[in-house]
Amino acid sequence: MSFEVRIPGPPIGKGRPRATVRGGHVRTYTPKRTAQWEARAAVVISDAWGNGAPLDGAVAVEIIALFPRPGRLVWKRKPMPREPHISSPDVDNIVKAVLDATEKAGVVRNDRIVFAVRVEKWYCSGEESPGVLLRVYGPGEW
């Protein structure tokens, strides 16, 4: 069992939890930008997954985050291969956002069943558009 989906749009890292006080009680929440990206990603993942039951056994995940090319890396006359993306967001924050969206989409029952993660961050090649490539592997497929 292997599952693959492409989430369009620039990747977003998981934002730090925020806190507010209302009526004398502290309430924590996910930043709006992160919550919107996770919700949109969950819809895309869910549509690709279909009506399958959530995975409950060990799974491995591969994430390739493709960011928009900055102007300094855009050329008209020479090839534009992928270039490593070495600025923020950090890979661990990308993983958190993608795994949370995968859990919300119903692909995995809980993201703690993920035993291995491979993640890469790139600027898109000249022919690519920004997005996240997500692959989920069952045991023995990694």
Side-chain angles (χ1 to χ4, degrees):
M1 184 269 11
S2 143
F3 168 70
E4 183 175 332
V5 65
R6 186 178 198 290
I7 304 162
I12 301 290
K14 182 81 169 187
R16 297 198 186 281
R18 306 290 186 216
T20 185
V21 177
R22 291 229 168 146
H25 299 282
V26 176
R27 179 181 159 260
T28 60
Y29 63 94
T30 301
K32 185 176 181 179
R33 184 171 178 236
T34 302
Q36 289 174 338
W37 188 89
E38 286 178 1
R40 190 172 41 84
V43 169
V44 172
I45 296 167
S46 179
D47 287 347
W49 180 248
N51 291 327
L55 301 173
D56 212 5
V59 297
V61 174
E62 181 179 10
I63 299 167
I64 300 174
L66 299 171
F67 291 86
R69 285 181 87 83
R72 65 182 171 78
L73 294 176
V74 175
W75 306 291
K76 291 184 179 180
R77 293 190 171 87
K78 61 182 186 177
M80 292 188 291
R82 284 184 182 173
E83 296 282 336
H85 183 277
I86 55 173
S87 58
S88 65
D90 298 347
V91 292
D92 59 326
N93 292 326
I94 292 171
V95 170
K96 289 176 205 172
V98 171
L99 291 182
D100 285 350
T102 305
E103 186 176 333
K104 288 176 185 172
V107 175
V108 295
R109 189 167 313 284
N110 193 304
D111 59 6
R112 69 175 164 233
I113 68 171
V114 176
F115 72 91
V117 176
R118 177 180 170 206
V119 60
E120 298 175 10
K121 291 188 334 176
W122 297 95
Y123 287 116
C124 297
S125 71
E127 301 83 40
E128 293 176 311
S129 58
V132 174
L133 302 173
L134 169 66
R135 293 185 185 105
V136 179
Y137 301 95
E141 296 178 337
W142 180 249

